[in-house]
Amino acid sequence: MSGSYNSYSLCVPVTLPDRQESHKNSGNTLTIEESFTRSTPSSIISWSQQCPSTSSETKVDSAGTHGVAVGCRDGSIFILRSASSSVPPNISVSIPPTPPEPTSPPTSPRRYRGLGHPSSRSASPSSVKSALSPFQVTRSRVVSSVSNESAEAPKNYVDFDEEQERLRGMLKGKKSRDRHTSTSRTRPEKEPMQPGPATSSSLRKEDTRSYLSAALSPSSSTLSLSSPPSPTLVPAPSPEPSGASSLNLRCHIFPPHARSLSPVSAIKVHEGGRYISCLHESGGLSVHTTLDGTCIASTLLEVKPKPALGGKTQPAPSVLWVWRNLLVAASEESIILFACASPDEFYPMNQFLDAGSTDSDSQSLAVAYELSLGPNAITGDAKLEYLGQWMVNGPLNSIGLRAEHDHSLTLFHADPAGHLVSHTLKINDPPTEPAELPESHSSTHLPLPNPFKALKALSTDNIPETDTTEVPERIEVGQGIDHGEIGLTEPLLGLRAHDDGSDVRLCAWSAHEMLVGKWKPDLVEKHPVCAVSGVQDARWLDHESCSVLFSDHLAVYSIARSVGKENSMESQPRLTHTIPLSTYDVATLVPGGHVISTRVKNGRRRIHQSDLDAPDIPKEKSRTHSLWKARTDAFAAQSQAAPRISSVLPIELDLLVLGYTDGHLRRSSLLESARNGSPSATSDFALPGPVLLLEHVQNPRTGERLIVGGADDGTIAIWSLDTLKLHARWTVFTTPLARVISLHDEKVGRLHGCVLCISQDGTIAVVAIDGNQFVYLVPGAAALIKRICLGENNLLLMYTDGRARLWDTATREFWRSMSVEKAVELVRQGGWLEWSMERTLDKKPALSSPCYASPDAASTVSLEIPALLRQLSASPALSGTSGAVPSPKKKLEHARALLSILLTFGISEGIDTICIEGLSIGPAAATIGLASPETLTILPQPNTSSVWTVSPEASADRAVAILALLHFLTQYEDLAQDANTVMTFYAASIGQLVADHQPPSLPRLAHHMLQAQSAEIRHALRLTIDAGVARLSDTETAEMVETWQQYLPSTRAEKERDGAQSAKALCICGFIAVDKYSLLPTSTLTDIAKSIALYLHDETSPHRSLAIDLCSRGFQVWQQYVDAVEMLRALFTLATTTKKEAIAVPNIGVQARSAVLQIAANNTPLFMTTLAIDILHPRSVQHRKSVMQLVIFLIRKKPLVLYSNLPRLVEAIVKSLDPNSSASRDAVLDSATEILSHIVQTFPTVDFHMGSQRLAVGTSEGAVVMYDLKTATRLYVLEGHKKRTTACSFSPDGRRLVTVSLEESIVLVWKVGSSFTSLFMPGAPPRQGHGGSDPYKTLNFHIGDAAQMTLEATLVNVRFEWTADRSVRLKISETVLTFST
């Protein structure tokens, strides 16, 4: 996964409102619909699955009911889903399946199943348990929702996708002038829109582990081997739309590699419509959920060089590959994705080829990845693992997959001569890891420095290091088998196949021909060719008929048999009937031969379904009906419309620079923009078109803050940030500005103080900021720029075609061209600054803009909640800012502004009143989206509460962000009560007021808990998780813990214990056990407690913070199943650590001290016992010092915890000063002295006399114990009080000790000076001047109710003050009593 989910933090996208729609009550829905209408579709796919009706209280995942995904030329995807059903949480992706046995890898080959072959693995109950939303779906409810339709395999089809427009353009030929002008990346805009590849759903069971036959479904473009289907030629009935629109626009996704020159070339469906995989022409491959668009895995496809025989890597040939097709094969273990690419037809192929190199015009490239959805795909467990790559000697649009009878895979394609060629594919299991070496020889956990760190190239963008580790290829491609000529006389444009178990039917077509043939095991039978032109796509209905898609109609052909000249049976395609189609932008054939298409009519985007004829439908009835259409005309009255936001530059919460469609810049704040307020300033001159990109730079000489931006016509301009005055403007590009790089480092040489303005086609304009001078232009290339490197006077540009260009910035001359491999070697020598054209996730700022041109995303600002909370912190170091720290008033304004955007008004009138009147937070018109790794999802929000009905993940992100900011408000005393009330509502009560509310996902919350560093976010997560656990029924609790228990660290292998999955399992099970431990078996509680202890004692574990948190919350539970004393000692060590690496956020020491306080308050006897033992019998002197430091901390924070056990603690401290152990005494003397000083100052029941080195300690039983610190011994006990001793004090000369008991209202005076008799009776109290053990004096007093006070009050309000050696004052609150001793 290119964007690691495990490093993804809490981010909330905010879309600013459109001023011209402020009067409408549709939220941002109309804007998203307008974006859909204005977009140019490049691919479309549909899925449909019949679901039984369920009771109203039963929630079933509706992802598989009906849906359409439309990919666009700007790289984004629109998801439409069934409008007739609610949108419940995904019930099967958050519960992990049974883990594979680590000690027994599979020995049987991977099995790829035909559609008619059922899975040998039965669906286990764990596969349908609810975890994404564990609060409402039980096992019985899910099982009852499985129907025959969802369990049966669909009909057998074989087809594969193609991009026929590429070959068609080559066949028609290009004029030299056209070919020259098409070398830029604007080529796709000049081509006529052609329908995208034919795709359909991968129908599979709901069990995510029971992989069936996606490899053989139409969406997978593979061949089906199964029992013969029904002989009927009647197509499958299509679902009738319910009402005017049977689909709802669900979300608008911007995948990780979405950009204007990288269209979506293919989309595939997985898990019955639960997930889709998306392929971009630039090589971006990502997997998303259709519920909310979350990206669960992504990667960037790149051509990997092949190693030569001598071991040296061969440079990859310079070919500009365009990724056009995606094939899918599913096994029981995972899903295999085959991405296919062909050379760009406008790229000059032979300019870099060596002599003897073959022409690659007819070659294609295939790359295979294994998609493992994992138990919690939405929370980061999905993986895309590279399997291998190979060249295919044939056109891309002829490649397909076939599942053989032995369940293996065969790849087939047409070669340049028109022959059908097949290859066997073997996918090997992952290589076994080497046996673990002894710990002494392992560097796994050693903090070894990187000896190559000095060679790492510097970068202002934190370019990740290039992974030079060779990944072994797991896929083996067999030798090609030639099955004979297919039979077309023209170059093949498409091929579809169908297998009924006895033979394979082929439907092939070219520009003017079509034939239906038969593929037997050894050869392809030749059949007559029909004269048919304009075939767009084809799909087999059964073994005897197929539907063929044209640009204006849909035709159904059946296979007629006639006797040839030699009495042989020849297959003749016979046209049975046609259905006229309206002009469409892109279309796809779905199961049954129906057509799903999209087009714009009357300014509104529409999704249409055209059905084949059926006996029960009259001929005169229209076969095309609308599944969805936009509600407004996107092109009406454009000239009179108010300007709209086309780009956003967020600098601070109080400073946003907005680019508009009228070419002007305007300045505003986040809150004013969210409330649709008027801008505070406007630029003086307008650019010729909409402003699409803005970047903040600074003049290195004057320090003036400037803005560099560009318009859609290729204009670049510079403005002053303070005044928005236009300084300079140039029109130098033919495509819009795509990136601005500020060169402020001294190592850039002559370009210091300049900016690089990079257009979408790779042209670079060098502009000097100081003086606003255009320096020169670096021309673009046929390929796009991938990386930019600068070193002194050298500019190195790396391109996506595997070439690199070196320019001299001093002479402005082109030096040389080289391969990317040589360029990488040059950069590794050091001294280069690097920038990547791809967006990175490292060090994301608190505010950022995704920079998309689509109207619904152009005004989006991403709020990085952890970074914003750091800015609101009091410390400049924690806030990460070098400037002045905002005042508390300004911080409060910022927090209110953020909450104004995030809070949901209109759900509860009472909460709205508290927010507006109590917290001074008003509603804003901005809408909230959803962020996932490198992905933005815009969600339609027709009303304020709809954001809580999208998905459990969306609810979790928004709830945590709201609670964290509300927790920040609690530090203001006048706002604390109202803030806590609102926090309680959003944590526990909002679900009761919102219909179809999606409760926050526990796995998503657990993921954020592992990443959280802010105290506010951790507090918000605890509240949300506690509320989620409280919603669980007893049955759901048992099911969830039972499923997650197998992933607890104590049950996993050592190398897997620190994995994210194990940590999430501990977080979920631990929080549940704290609240509902009585429902869990002893074995589960033991595993949880052992897991906590593992993390707690492992110094290298990254999850110690989680273990400390769970210790604090449930120590009374864990102590029964593990060594509680050892757990406490581990906390003691962490609480007193002084290592620099522990000074982090979250600070482990601070967490551990908080946990110690919590345990000390809740389990005082065990705590004090452990404390005393560790002082008296420590493991080491350092450990004793650490424990003593912890005692000081407790005295300061929780003195009452120590009060009742104070005599025991003091005795342990005194004994640690034993003079017979001089080394130990010297080591702890300072700490012991400091502790005793704090005890004497804090507790009035303890007093110390310096001269005599005596220490007196009053007890709760009334006795007073006297210690001699010189000998570290107890001298004697004075027993005079019958009730608790409240205070004691030595006289200045040390010969008198006075004690008081408020419960008895008595003051006792004791003689404690040395006497002659003490020499003969050591340990006996001094004689008091009369017989017996009575005190020297007994003084009664009565002060009424003033003597009635709590223990905590006595620590402050009771004190002795000596006015002379024999005169003392007793202060009890405001009362002063004087006594003579």
Side-chain angles (χ1 to χ4, degrees):
M1 185 170 178
S2 72
S4 175
Y5 199 105
N6 292 331
S7 62
Y8 167 69
S9 61
L10 181 61
C11 180
V12 178
V14 175
T15 302
L16 304 178
D18 183 6
R19 297 182 63 188
Q20 62 180 336
E21 290 191 0
S22 61
H23 63 284
K24 300 179 181 179
N25 297 322
S26 58
N28 65 338
T29 305
L30 296 182
T31 303
I32 300 177
E33 291 182 0
E34 178 182 341
S35 301
F36 192 13
T37 300
R38 291 175 176 270
S39 64
T40 304
S42 57
S43 61
I44 187 172
I45 195 169
S46 174
W47 62 92
S48 180
Q49 185 173 353
Q50 298 296 327
C51 295
S53 59
T54 57
S55 59
S56 59
E57 70 274 13
T58 304
K59 288 193 174 184
V60 185
D61 181 18
S62 62
T65 303
H66 194 195
V68 174
V70 180
C72 302
R73 299 200 68 85
D74 64 354
S76 66
I77 306 171
F78 290 90
I79 300 291
L80 300 96
R81 288 174 36 132
S82 204
S84 58
S85 59
S86 60
V87 186
N90 192 327
I91 61 175
S92 64
V93 295
S94 288
I95 291 296
T98 303
E101 294 292 336
T103 57
S104 57
T107 56
S108 61
R110 191 183 299 261
R111 299 168 65 87
Y112 298 91
R113 302 190 168 276
L115 283 177
H117 298 272
S119 172
S120 62
R121 181 184 302 181
S122 61
S124 64
S126 65
S127 65
V128 291
K129 291 175 186 174
S130 167
L132 259 186
S133 178
F135 318 124
Q136 307 193 20
V137 182
T138 62
R139 180 186 303 180
S140 60
R141 293 177 183 176
V142 176
V143 172
S144 66
S145 69
V146 179
S147 66
N148 293 333
E149 289 83 357
S150 62
E152 291 176 354
K155 292 186 177 182
N156 306 327
Y157 296 103
V158 182
D159 61 1
F160 47 90
D161 305 340
E162 80 288 349
E163 289 270 341
Q164 64 267 31
E165 59 267 30
R166 183 183 70 84
L167 283 182
R168 182 170 299 168
M170 297 176 63
L171 291 173
K172 293 180 179 180
K174 297 285 185 179
K175 296 180 180 180
S176 58
R177 178 179 58 86
D178 295 336
R179 186 175 298 274
H180 175 72
T181 58
S182 298
T183 55
S184 71
R185 296 300 295 175
T186 58
R187 168 188 54 80
E189 313 301 335
K190 300 180 181 181
E191 294 181 355
M193 177 55 62
Q194 299 290 345
T199 54
S200 66
S201 66
S202 171
L203 301 180
R204 298 167 56 189
K205 285 188 178 181
E206 293 299 321
D207 187 357
T208 59
R209 299 180 292 109
S210 182
Y211 300 106
L212 296 181
S213 53
L216 311 174
S217 67
S219 67
S220 309
S221 303
T222 57
L223 188 58
S224 165
L225 295 178
S226 65
S227 58
S230 172
T232 177
L233 299 182
V234 178
S238 62
E240 291 296 333
S242 57
S245 178
S246 61
L247 295 177
N248 274 344
L249 183 57
R250 185 67 182 165
C251 58
H252 187 190
I253 309 171
F254 292 86
H257 305 284
R259 58 173 181 261
S260 59
L261 296 183
S262 180
V264 177
S265 56
I267 305 175
K268 296 298 178 183
V269 176
H270 313 293
E271 299 295 319
R274 189 165 288 139
Y275 306 102
I276 58 171
S277 54
C278 166
L279 178 66
H280 291 81
E281 286 190 0
S282 61
L285 177 62
S286 56
V287 184
H288 304 263
T289 68
T290 60
L291 193 66
D292 56 17
T294 296
C295 178
I296 61 174
S298 68
T299 188
L300 181 62
L301 305 178
E302 294 182 325
V303 182
K304 298 182 182 295
K306 294 286 186 180
L309 295 178
K312 186 177 180 180
T313 300
Q314 292 180 337
S318 299
V319 179
L320 181 57
W321 295 103
V322 180
W323 301 88
R324 304 184 187 275
N325 199 6
L326 190 61
L327 311 179
V328 181
S331 70
E332 293 182 349
E333 293 82 14
S334 60
I335 299 172
I336 310 299
L337 302 178
F338 296 85
C340 303
S342 60
D344 191 318
E345 57 266 35
F346 301 110
Y347 183 77
M349 296 295 302
N350 299 321
Q351 61 175 339
F352 300 115
L353 294 179
D354 299 330
S357 298
T358 59
D359 186 8
S360 61
D361 276 339
S362 60
Q363 289 189 335
S364 301
L365 177 66
V367 177
Y369 275 82
E370 183 176 28
L371 170 62
S372 301
L373 291 176
N376 297 297
I378 296 182
T379 52
D381 290 335
K383 294 185 297 183
L384 275 173
E385 183 179 355
Y386 173 76
L387 296 181
Q389 71 176 26
W390 67 97
M391 299 298 299
V392 177
N393 186 25
L396 174 141
N397 46 20
S398 68
I399 302 174
L401 293 174
R402 171 182 178 181
E404 301 294 347
H405 289 281
D406 59 356
H407 307 288
S408 63
L409 279 180
T410 295
L411 180 140
F412 61 90
H413 62 91
D415 66 5
H419 289 234
L420 183 66
V421 180
S422 66
H423 304 262
T424 59
L425 297 181
K426 180 182 178 183
I427 300 177
N428 301 315
D429 293 324
T432 57
E433 296 184 4
E436 295 184 2
L437 298 175
E439 187 174 354
S440 59
H441 299 153
S442 173
S443 60
T444 302
H445 300 302
L446 297 179
L448 299 178
N450 182 3
F452 305 102
K453 187 175 182 180
L455 300 179
K456 185 186 300 184
L458 302 175
S459 172
T460 57
D461 278 4
N462 284 332
I463 302 297
E465 293 185 35
T466 303
D467 186 8
T468 58
T469 305
E470 289 190 6
V471 180
E473 295 195 350
R474 293 169 46 197
I475 194 165
E476 297 181 12
V477 183
Q479 293 293 328
I481 301 175
D482 192 336
H483 298 277
E485 187 177 358
I486 296 176
L488 292 175
T489 61
E490 298 178 343
L492 182 142
L493 290 181
L495 182 66
R496 297 291 180 266
H498 184 272
D499 190 347
D500 67 346
S502 58
D503 56 22
V504 179
R505 291 284 191 184
L506 297 177
C507 177
W509 68 89
S510 63
H512 305 94
E513 299 174 340
M514 185 180 76
L515 67 79
V516 176
K518 185 181 296 184
W519 176 14
K520 292 188 175 181
D522 297 328
L523 52 85
V524 176
E525 292 185 355
K526 292 185 178 180
H527 293 275
V529 175
C530 300
V532 177
S533 301
V535 176
Q536 306 288 323
D537 192 15
R539 188 183 191 99
W540 285 96
L541 301 178
D542 51 43
H543 206 56
E544 303 297 334
S545 62
C546 66
S547 61
V548 180
L549 178 65
F550 295 85
S551 60
D552 57 354
H553 68 279
L554 176 67
V556 176
Y557 288 85
S558 63
I559 309 304
R561 297 183 179 273
S562 60
V563 180
K565 295 182 179 180
E566 299 178 358
N567 295 327
S568 61
M569 300 295 293
E570 295 182 348
S571 300
Q572 295 281 353
R574 181 176 60 88
L575 178 64
T576 59
H577 56 276
T578 62
I579 299 174
L581 299 176
S582 302
T583 303
Y584 53 82
D585 294 334
V586 66
T588 183
L589 290 171
V590 299
H594 313 295
V595 178
I596 301 295
S597 62
T598 178
R599 66 172 182 143
V600 176
K601 180 181 178 182
N602 298 328
R604 302 182 185 187
R605 170 70 59 187
R606 301 162 188 262
I607 304 292
H608 287 160
Q609 176 168 318
S610 301
D611 302 331
L612 291 179
D613 288 337
D616 57 341
I617 301 178
K619 291 286 185 181
E620 62 275 6
K621 183 177 180 181
S622 173
R623 303 302 174 190
T624 300
H625 54 260
S626 176
L627 298 179
W628 178 88
K629 69 177 180 179
R631 287 171 287 180
T632 58
D633 186 348
F635 305 100
Q638 289 187 0
S639 58
Q640 291 81 17
R644 307 176 63 167
I645 299 176
S646 55
S647 60
V648 180
L649 175 61
I651 300 176
E652 301 171 356
L653 288 173
D654 293 331
L655 180 56
L656 297 185
V657 179
L658 308 175
Y660 280 80
T661 54
D662 61 357
H664 279 285
L665 298 189
R666 294 172 174 86
R667 189 170 61 236
S668 183
S669 67
L670 179 63
L671 181 58
E672 285 299 321
S673 299
R675 290 180 174 174
N676 224 340
S678 300
S680 59
T682 303
S683 58
D684 50 353
F685 291 98
L687 297 187
V691 180
L692 298 184
L693 182 72
L694 295 171
E695 193 68 40
H696 174 219
V697 299
Q698 190 171 16
N699 188 322
R701 183 181 63 84
T702 64
E704 181 185 8
R705 297 190 300 173
L706 302 170
I707 301 173
V708 178
D712 67 343
D713 65 340
T715 299
I716 57 176
I718 300 177
W719 297 267
S720 169
L721 176 61
D722 297 329
T723 63
L724 295 186
K725 181 180 179 181
L726 182 64
H727 285 186
R729 184 182 71 182
W730 304 272
T731 302
V732 292
F733 296 145
T734 58
T735 58
L737 182 67
R739 182 78 187 274
V740 176
I741 298 175
S742 178
L743 306 179
H744 51 76
D745 196 289
E746 296 291 344
K747 297 182 180 180
V748 299
R750 298 174 61 90
L751 296 184
H752 176 68
C754 296
V755 293
L756 301 182
C757 299
I758 309 166
S759 68
Q760 292 179 357
D761 63 1
T763 306
I764 300 177
V766 181
V767 177
I769 292 297
D770 192 9
N772 302 318
Q773 296 181 357
F774 176 80
V775 183
Y776 57 86
L777 196 70
V778 179
L784 297 178
I785 296 178
K786 183 168 62 174
R787 294 170 68 184
I788 298 176
C789 305
L790 265 175
E792 294 184 355
N793 294 328
N794 297 317
L795 173 63
L796 183 62
L797 306 177
M798 302 184 193
Y799 293 88
T800 55
D801 61 350
R803 303 297 301 177
R805 293 180 177 181
L806 184 63
W807 295 80
D808 189 337
T809 58
T811 63
R812 307 179 185 180
E813 295 178 348
F814 172 68
W815 272 21
R816 59 171 297 191
S817 174
M818 66 186 78
S819 67
V820 167
E821 289 78 12
K822 292 182 179 179
V824 171
E825 293 179 3
L826 180 63
V827 171
R828 286 178 182 170
Q829 296 177 6
W832 293 83
L833 295 169
E834 295 183 57
W835 296 268
S836 172
M837 293 301 292
E838 294 288 338
R839 293 185 297 272
T840 61
L841 289 175
D842 298 332
K843 294 184 179 179
K844 288 194 67 175
L847 300 174
S848 61
S849 175
C851 298
Y852 295 116
S854 180
D856 55 350
S859 60
T860 299
V861 178
S862 296
L863 306 181
E864 194 75 12
I865 301 300
L868 288 170
L869 287 171
R870 286 194 298 270
Q871 289 185 2
L872 295 177
S873 63
S875 170
L878 291 179
S879 64
T881 58
S882 57
V885 177
S887 64
K889 182 179 179 181
K890 179 61 68 174
K891 292 180 181 179
L892 180 58
E893 292 178 0
H894 289 169
R896 283 171 168 163
L898 294 172
L899 285 169
S900 178
I901 296 171
L902 295 174
L903 290 176
T904 309
F905 291 85
I907 297 178
S908 170
E909 184 178 351
I911 294 299
D912 292 350
T913 301
I914 294 175
C915 292
I916 296 173
E917 298 180 359
L919 300 177
S920 300
I921 300 173
T927 54
I928 305 299
L930 182 63
S932 52
E934 300 182 79
T935 301
L936 168 67
T937 303
I938 304 296
L939 302 170
Q941 296 172 30
N943 53 67
T944 57
S945 62
S946 59
V947 71
W948 299 103
T949 64
V950 175
S951 67
E953 290 69 37
S955 297
D957 286 2
R958 185 162 189 173
V960 173
I962 289 173
L963 295 179
L965 289 166
L966 286 171
H967 181 69
F968 171 80
L969 294 186
T970 58
Q971 64 181 309
Y972 298 89
E973 294 183 3
D974 56 332
L975 304 177
Q977 182 176 354
D978 289 336
N980 284 322
T981 301
V982 180
M983 287 174 67
T984 303
F985 170 77
Y986 279 97
S989 303
I990 190 172
Q992 302 173 10
L993 301 179
V994 176
D996 296 325
H997 175 256
Q998 299 296 296
S1001 163
L1002 281 183
R1004 179 81 156 209
L1005 295 173
H1007 164 79
H1008 286 314
M1009 178 64 80
L1010 300 182
Q1011 305 296 326
Q1013 297 180 339
S1014 165
E1016 290 84 0
I1017 292 180
R1018 295 186 69 85
H1019 179 79
L1021 286 166
R1022 293 188 194 102
L1023 285 179
T1024 315
I1025 294 177
D1026 287 342
V1029 170
R1031 294 189 190 100
L1032 292 175
S1033 67
D1034 293 351
T1035 302
E1036 292 167 340
T1037 299
E1039 289 181 351
M1040 177 168 286
V1041 175
E1042 177 186 357
T1043 308
W1044 280 98
Q1045 181 180 354
Q1046 58 194 326
Y1047 292 94
L1048 288 171
S1050 61
T1051 64
R1052 306 303 296 272
E1054 184 175 356
K1055 61 184 178 181
E1056 299 174 340
R1057 289 174 180 171
D1058 286 336
Q1061 188 182 62
S1062 294
K1064 281 187 286 189
L1066 178 57
C1067 183
I1068 294 173
C1069 294
F1071 274 89
I1072 291 176
V1074 169
D1075 188 48
K1076 300 186 176 185
Y1077 61 89
S1078 61
L1079 299 177
L1080 307 183
T1082 302
S1083 60
T1084 301
L1085 294 173
T1086 302
D1087 288 341
I1088 297 173
K1090 288 182 178 179
S1091 300
I1092 295 173
L1094 279 175
Y1095 282 167
L1096 205 59
H1097 293 290
D1098 186 0
E1099 295 183 359
T1100 63
S1101 174
H1103 307 301
R1104 298 181 93 179
S1105 175
L1106 173 63
I1108 294 172
D1109 201 356
L1110 291 174
C1111 272
S1112 174
R1113 298 170 63 86
F1115 183 81
Q1116 69 279 6
V1117 178
W1118 323 132
Q1119 67 177 352
Q1120 304 176 43
Y1121 305 99
V1122 291
D1123 190 337
V1125 174
E1126 290 301 318
M1127 188 176 282
L1128 268 178
R1129 285 172 176 162
L1131 287 174
F1132 289 171
T1133 302
L1134 293 173
T1136 56
T1137 182
T1138 57
K1139 294 181 180 180
K1140 290 184 178 180
E1141 56 265 27
I1143 305 175
V1145 180
N1147 192 318
I1148 298 297
V1150 172
Q1151 265 194 294
R1153 287 190 286 273
S1154 177
V1156 166
L1157 291 178
Q1158 187 73 20
I1159 296 172
N1162 296 336
N1163 202 325
T1164 304
L1166 177 64
F1167 177 82
M1168 295 305 303
T1169 299
T1170 306
L1171 203 63
I1173 291 175
D1174 283 7
I1175 293 177
L1176 292 175
H1177 308 287
R1179 296 178 176 179
S1180 63
V1181 174
Q1182 182 61 39
H1183 181 69
R1184 175 182 280 169
K1185 291 179 63 177
S1186 298
V1187 173
M1188 288 186 173
Q1189 292 175 7
L1190 181 61
V1191 173
I1192 296 174
F1193 172 74
L1194 288 171
I1195 293 172
R1196 294 173 178 173
K1197 299 294 184 180
K1198 290 280 187 179
L1200 290 180
V1201 172
L1202 303 176
Y1203 193 94
S1204 59
N1205 294 275
L1206 201 56
R1208 186 177 181 182
L1209 175 63
V1210 171
E1211 183 164 352
I1213 296 172
V1214 171
K1215 289 184 177 181
S1216 69
L1217 297 174
D1218 187 358
N1220 295 323
S1221 178
S1222 59
S1224 175
R1225 178 186 175 97
D1226 293 341
V1228 301
L1229 181 61
D1230 293 340
S1231 298
T1233 302
E1234 186 178 2
I1235 289 177
L1236 292 177
S1237 174
H1238 281 88
I1239 290 176
V1240 171
Q1241 294 175 11
T1242 304
F1243 299 99
T1245 56
V1246 182
D1247 198 24
F1248 175 70
H1249 187 260
M1250 179 66 70
S1252 60
Q1253 291 290 294
R1254 301 288 176 88
L1255 182 69
V1257 182
T1259 67
S1260 58
E1261 293 80 13
V1264 179
V1265 184
M1266 187 70 70
Y1267 294 95
D1268 183 3
L1269 297 189
K1270 290 182 294 185
T1271 59
T1273 59
R1274 178 195 291 189
L1275 292 178
Y1276 48 80
V1277 179
L1278 301 174
E1279 298 179 341
H1281 293 291
K1282 300 298 186 290
K1283 295 184 179 180
R1284 181 188 303 274
T1285 303
T1286 306
C1288 65
S1289 179
F1290 284 100
S1291 63
D1293 60 1
R1295 302 183 63 83
R1296 295 288 186 273
L1297 177 70
V1298 292
T1299 62
V1300 60
S1301 173
L1302 291 183
E1303 297 179 13
E1304 295 179 307
S1305 297
I1306 292 177
V1307 174
L1308 302 181
V1309 181
W1310 305 85
K1311 289 183 178 181
V1312 294
S1314 300
S1315 63
F1316 182 74
T1317 57
S1318 63
L1319 299 176
F1320 300 97
M1321 300 178 63
R1327 296 175 62 86
Q1328 302 297 322
H1330 48 74
S1333 59
D1334 294 338
Y1336 176 62
K1337 288 183 179 180
T1338 301
L1339 307 172
N1340 297 313
F1341 64 88
H1342 181 71
I1343 57 175
D1345 295 337
Q1348 306 297 323
M1349 63 177 66
T1350 63
L1351 289 179
E1352 186 176 6
T1354 61
L1355 301 183
V1356 179
N1357 298 328
V1358 179
R1359 280 289 184 271
F1360 283 107
E1361 291 184 0
W1362 290 87
T1363 58
D1365 288 344
R1366 298 295 177 267
S1367 179
V1368 63
R1369 292 177 181 173
L1370 174 60
K1371 290 187 175 182
I1372 306 174
S1373 296
E1374 302 298 329
T1375 304
V1376 179
L1377 304 176
T1378 303
F1379 301 96
S1380 175
T1381 61

